[in-house]
Amino acid sequence: MERGTLKWEIFTWVRDIAIALLAVWIIITFIGQMTNVIGESMMPTLKDGDRVVIDKLTYHFSNPERFDIVVFPYKKNPSLNYIKRVIGLPGDTVNIEEGKVFVNGEQVDADMGFDLIEDYGDNLPLTVPDGEYFVMGDNRNNSSDSRYTDVGTIKKSDIIGRALWRIWPLSSIGTFK
């Protein structure tokens, strides 16, 4: 193929588009992606309709930490992703007493301003298995989370990634606590 010919132009366009698609696939598969928040289980931190960027790379080199916000597939419908906050780490014992969350006998989220929990679920007290995490929504009284056996603890291998930034709505762009 000679430069400047129609065949050359078509080849370079196809090559460039293929390279761009490969780069996008690598980014979405291994580095990060966007997701929509559906529902109110993470209010007030995240609201229905928020768009969030997920970091998919970090947990390949480190473990989730307490209070990270993670995304994972719902066990009963893997096409549906949940977004929740990590409360219990492997080996921790999680319980709810008098509407408050305790990990290893100590209240963990006293300064976060959450409402007292009314429904303690059907899965507590619970010791978090090795390689798994106990997660809860910030809207504790309106969240399907690790307190219930249908969600249970989340294996590290099932965590898609860590929520990093809210990019929508524009008035709320930024990281969250």
Side-chain angles (χ1 to χ4, degrees):
M1 270 186 279
E2 287 185 36
R3 290 181 184 251
T5 65
L6 180 59
K7 283 183 179 180
W8 177 257
E9 288 298 319
I10 291 171
F11 168 76
T12 58
W13 273 91
V14 170
R15 179 197 64 200
D16 293 347
I17 290 170
I19 290 170
L21 290 174
L22 178 63
V24 167
W25 177 80
I26 289 171
I27 290 168
I28 290 172
T29 303
F30 300 108
I31 299 173
Q33 73 182 53
M34 286 190 302
T35 192
N36 284 328
V37 175
I38 300 171
E40 300 179 352
S41 72
M42 282 299 293
M43 286 190 55
T45 307
L46 295 170
K47 297 172 181 62
D48 186 48
D50 284 0
R51 300 265 305 158
V52 176
V53 174
I54 303 167
D55 162 22
K56 297 171 79 174
L57 192 59
T58 298
Y59 294 152
H60 290 286
F61 304 104
S62 64
N63 292 318
E65 296 179 11
R66 193 176 329 277
F67 304 127
D68 283 358
I69 298 174
V70 297
V71 176
F72 57 93
Y74 177 49
K75 292 175 187 172
K76 290 191 173 186
N77 181 0
S79 66
L80 179 64
N81 289 335
Y82 275 13
I83 185 165
K84 306 291 178 192
R85 188 178 298 276
V86 173
I87 300 298
L89 306 175
D92 284 346
T93 299
V94 180
N95 200 11
I96 298 175
E97 300 171 13
E98 299 177 6
K100 300 169 189 162
V101 178
F102 288 81
V103 174
N104 301 324
E106 295 187 27
Q107 188 177 352
V108 293
D109 55 5
D111 60 343
M112 296 179 88
F114 298 128
D115 292 336
L116 291 178
I117 299 169
E118 297 168 7
D119 184 355
Y120 295 12
D122 58 8
N123 207 20
L124 296 175
L126 177 133
T127 299
V128 182
D130 286 341
E132 298 187 19
Y133 297 84
F134 186 96
V135 297
M136 293 181 79
D138 288 355
N139 186 356
R140 303 289 163 82
N141 290 313
N142 188 19
S143 177
S144 176
D145 50 41
S146 292
R147 291 175 286 172
Y148 306 98
T149 54
D150 69 315
V151 176
T153 55
I154 308 304
K155 294 179 183 176
K156 180 183 178 188
S157 60
D158 289 335
I159 295 174
I160 296 168
R162 169 177 64 133
L164 279 185
W165 303 290
R166 178 184 7 245
I167 60 170
W168 187 262
L170 294 176
S171 61
S172 300
I173 284 181
T175 59
F176 25 79
K177 295 181 180 181

